[in-house]
Amino acid sequence: MRWLDAALRALTPWGWTLLASVVLGVVLARTLGWSEAVVAAVAAAGLMLGAIPWVVGERWARARIGLSAERVPVGAEALALVEIARPSRAATPRQVDLSVDDEEAVLEIPPLEVGASVLRSVPLDTSRRGLRTIGPATILRTDPFGVLERRHHLTETRTLVVHPRVVRLPGGAGGIVRDLDGEAAAERTADDVSFHSLREYSPGDDRRLVHWRSSARHGTLLVRQFEPSRRADALIVLSTDPSEYDGDDFELALSLVGTLGLAAIADRRTLRIVESPATERGAAKEIDSATRERLLDTLAVLEPRSSHGIAEASRASRGGAPGSLAWLITGSTVPPRTLRTAANGMPAGVVSVVVRAAVGAVPARSRLGDADVVTVGAIEDLARGIRQTRAP
C-alpha cells in the first residue's frame, strides 16, 4: 500500500476536491440516478488522470551539491555549489529548492539544452560555530491544473562544520618551557641527562653514579646529581557550566581552548583537554585532541551543559596526567574564591594559569595566590597574556 500512501500525499487541496467530486458523483448517480452527477464524476476523474504524467518519472533534472570548504572558522566565507543538469528531452524545472538548515533557498534555472548544466552558488551563514546542514536539493513537480504535486529529491545532504575562531600563538605557548628548553627546574634527581653538581655518597646510592676522580681528590665518595628533564606538557581544563558565562563568553572560551590546544599540537607537546564532569564526583570528560581537525570538530558542537564549574572540573582533572602547566578556562562571572579553589586543585609542581573569558573586557593580568589570572576580552588578547606568564 506504499503506492497508495504516496498517491494520497501528492494530492493538492484542489486534487482532494476533485476526488471528493468523483466519490460524491458516483454515490448520487447510484442512489438518485442523476446523469449530471455521472458527468461531473467523469470530468473530475479525467482531470486527475491527466495530471499523473506530469508528476511521474525521475529524469527531469539531475543535481549534485558541493561545498567551497567542508570546515571553516567563524566568519569565513563559505558557499554551497549546486550543479543542475538536463539529462533528457523532458522539460527541466524552472527552479530548484535547496534546504539550508531550516530555510529554503530558491535557485532559478534557465532553459538548458539536453546534456547541458548550470552552476549556482548559495552563501552560507558562518556567523556562529556549529554544524550547517545543506540539502537536499529538490524540485516541486506539478501539473498545469494544480491537481497533483510531488517533491523530488535530487541530492543527498552535506554538512559544513563551522569551527570556533583561533589565532596563532608564538612557539612554546602550549606549555611552560623548562630545563632542556632553557629554564632550569629547582628539583634534583639521581638519574637524568643534565648534570648539575656533586654531593656526598649516601647508603643506597647507585655506585655507577660515583665520580671517582673527584672522590679521590676530596677523600670521600661523591656522586653525581642531575636536573630533572621535563617536557612542557599541557593540561587544559574547560568549565562547561553555563552559570559561569555571560553573553558570548562561552564562545570566546572555546576559541581560547582551540588556540592553546593548537599551539601545543604544533609544538608536538603532550596535550590533554578536559571539560566539567557530569556528576559531582565524576571524572572529567576528555575532549578529543589527537589532531587539529578532531579538536576543532569537537569544539564546534560543544555546548555549556554541566552544572559543575571550573572548581569541580579542576578537581576531576587530577585523575590523569597533569602536565607541567594547567590552563583553567572559565567565564567572567566566577568569583575570586572559586578561582582560587580551582587553582589550588592542581597537583604540586603544576603551574596554574586561570584564563577568564570576558567578551569586551579590558585585558588584565593579576596574581591569585600562586596562580596567574589572565582576563581576555578578545582572542587576540591571549598572546599578550601568555607573554607575561612565566613559570616560577
Side-chain angles (χ1 to χ4, degrees):
M1 300 296 288
R2 183 177 300 174
W3 64 270
L4 179 59
D5 179 63
L8 293 177
R9 285 189 287 107
L11 286 170
T12 64
W14 172 233
W16 282 104
T17 302
L18 291 178
L19 180 61
S21 300
V22 172
V23 174
L24 183 60
V26 171
V27 171
L28 291 177
R30 291 180 63 87
T31 57
L32 302 178
W34 289 359
S35 58
E36 295 85 352
V38 175
V39 173
V42 171
L47 286 174
M48 296 185 68
L49 291 174
I52 293 176
W54 293 86
V55 297
V56 297
E58 303 291 341
R59 297 179 61 82
W60 280 29
R62 287 180 179 172
R64 59 180 181 177
I65 297 178
L67 299 175
S68 59
E70 293 188 350
R71 295 173 172 86
V72 296
V74 168
E77 180 181 358
L79 298 174
L81 306 174
V82 184
E83 183 182 27
I84 302 101
R86 182 183 181 184
S88 67
R89 292 185 177 277
T92 55
R94 300 297 300 273
Q95 69 180 42
V96 171
D97 299 323
L98 178 66
S99 176
V100 181
D101 288 336
D102 296 328
E103 300 180 354
E104 292 284 341
V106 178
L107 309 178
E108 299 294 336
I109 307 302
L112 297 174
E113 299 291 336
V114 176
S117 63
V118 64
L119 185 65
R120 291 287 183 263
S121 63
V122 178
L124 301 176
D125 179 20
T126 61
S127 60
R128 303 288 289 184
R129 67 178 176 85
L131 304 181
R132 303 287 180 269
T133 302
I134 299 94
T138 62
I139 55 174
L140 183 63
R141 300 168 61 173
T142 187
D143 61 277
F145 314 109
V147 177
L148 301 175
E149 65 180 23
R150 178 188 173 200
R151 187 162 291 278
H152 177 52
H153 288 207
L154 301 177
T155 67
E156 300 296 328
T157 61
R158 297 289 299 272
T159 300
L160 172 70
V161 184
V162 182
H163 291 157
R165 183 167 172 265
V166 296
V167 298
R168 184 180 180 86
L169 292 180
I176 289 293
V177 285
R178 288 184 176 180
D179 194 28
L180 296 181
D181 292 328
E183 202 168 312
E187 301 94 328
R188 299 292 175 260
T189 180
D191 186 14
D192 216 296
V193 297
S194 181
F195 173 76
H196 179 264
S197 59
L198 298 174
R199 62 171 175 81
E200 290 189 2
Y201 175 84
S202 298
D205 286 341
D206 190 342
R207 290 184 177 272
R208 290 174 298 179
L209 299 178
V210 174
H211 194 277
W212 296 106
R213 183 174 299 177
S214 298
S215 299
R217 184 182 307 117
H218 290 81
T220 184
L221 288 178
L222 299 175
V223 296
R224 303 178 183 91
Q225 58 180 356
F226 303 86
E227 292 177 358
S229 301
R230 294 188 175 184
R231 287 183 54 82
D233 300 336
L235 167 67
I236 301 176
V237 181
L238 171 67
S239 168
T240 51
D241 181 0
S243 67
E244 295 190 349
Y245 297 94
D246 184 31
D248 286 336
D249 288 352
F250 187 72
E251 301 301 317
L252 176 56
L254 292 180
S255 293
L256 295 171
V257 173
T259 297
L260 292 169
L262 294 186
I265 292 173
D267 290 340
R268 299 176 181 265
R269 302 183 187 277
T270 301
L271 173 66
R272 179 170 169 251
I273 306 178
V274 300
E275 60 171 296
S276 297
T279 60
E280 184 176 358
R281 295 298 176 185
K285 293 184 178 180
E286 298 280 343
I287 294 177
D288 189 352
S289 58
T291 65
R292 172 191 175 92
E293 284 193 352
R294 287 165 65 174
L295 171 59
L296 293 179
D297 285 353
T298 303
L299 296 179
V301 297
L302 188 63
E303 297 296 336
R305 58 196 174 191
S306 176
S307 59
H308 304 287
I310 190 62
E312 292 85 355
S314 173
R315 175 196 53 76
S317 70
R318 300 188 63 163
S324 62
L325 172 66
W327 300 97
L328 308 180
I329 313 296
T330 187
S332 59
T333 64
V334 185
R337 181 177 179 180
T338 302
L339 297 179
R340 184 188 298 272
T341 301
N344 292 340
M346 289 292 103
V350 176
V351 178
S352 298
V353 180
V354 179
V355 184
R356 298 173 63 249
V359 174
V362 176
R365 175 180 175 272
S366 60
R367 293 286 294 180
L368 188 63
D370 294 331
D372 286 296
V373 178
V374 179
T375 299
V376 176
I379 188 61
E380 292 79 7
D381 301 333
L382 180 61
R384 180 168 58 183
I386 288 177
R387 284 196 298 267
Q388 296 173 343
T389 301
R390 292 289 183 269

